[in-house]
Each structure stands twice: as structure tokens, then as C-alpha cells.
Amino acid sequence: MAKTSKIAKNEQRKRTVARYAGRRAELKRIIADPAGSFEARGDAQLQLQKLPRDASPIRVRNRDAADGRPRGYLRKAGISRVRFRTMAHRGELPGITKSSW
């Protein structure tokens, strides 16, 4: 089980990313536009740098939905490899069977 403070901080980051997503996308569009003026692109870069650090989606950590484990996360299931294995053995994941050969 991860520390509850780490889980709460990650949830706060998700809310911050959602709040600034539109603004970041607009600024990135201005920066990437080759037809835009040099001044407008420079101004957009400065505004992008002034946004909060946690507004970047790269700072959000994928965590296990059940206990918040940060490592061994499986995107398809939304849980960690440890929990995935135990749930699969118990038959709690539909369509997942243990293979043997």
C-alpha cells in the first residue's frame, strides 16, 4: 500500500493537468505553428513556462487503482502486476486464464 499522501498528491496533479489542458494545448499549437511570428512564438513559450509545473501531464504517475502501487502498472487492467496476478488466480478478471504448456 502506497502512502496516502502520495496518492492524494497524484490526484491533485490529475486535477491540475485537467484544469490547464486547454491552455497548454493552445500555447503548444502557437509554438508549433511555422506560419506564426517569432514574437508570438516566443511569448507563447514564456507563458507556457509560467504555468504550474504540475500542469504537465508527464508528472502524473500511473498507480494501481486498488492500493496505489506506483511500480509494475499494467495499463490495460489499471492495476499493478502483483494485484493482477492474485486477481487472475482467483478468477476475478474476465477473459484472463493461466496459461500452461
Side-chain angles (χ1 to χ4, degrees), residues 8-55:
K9 184 66 174 176
N10 201 46
E11 293 302 317
Q12 176 64 34
R13 282 190 180 122
K14 287 180 185 177
R15 287 192 295 271
T16 305
V17 166
R19 183 181 313 130
Y20 288 100
R23 181 75 179 132
R24 282 183 61 85
E26 177 65 24
L27 290 172
K28 285 188 167 271
R29 187 191 60 77
I30 293 169
I31 292 168
D33 184 22
S37 68
F38 183 73
E39 292 81 18
R41 291 167 67 184
D43 185 44
Q45 284 178 345
L46 286 175
Q47 288 179 9
L48 186 64
Q49 289 173 358
K50 287 183 181 180
L51 289 179
R53 197 175 264 185
D54 284 343

Side-chain angles (χ1 to χ4, degrees), residues 47-96:
Q47 288 179 9
L48 186 64
Q49 289 173 358
K50 287 183 181 180
L51 289 179
R53 197 175 264 185
D54 284 343
S56 175
I58 200 73
R59 290 180 59 94
V60 175
R61 178 83 172 166
N62 288 329
R63 290 184 173 270
D64 187 329
D67 64 359
R69 188 177 202 278
R71 307 276 181 131
Y73 178 81
L74 301 174
R75 286 178 186 265
K76 211 168 201 177
I79 54 178
S80 69
R81 62 179 176 79
V82 177
R83 183 158 311 268
F84 181 85
R85 186 171 187 270
T86 58
M87 289 176 75
H89 281 307
R90 283 189 259 152
E92 297 175 358
L93 300 174
I96 305 295

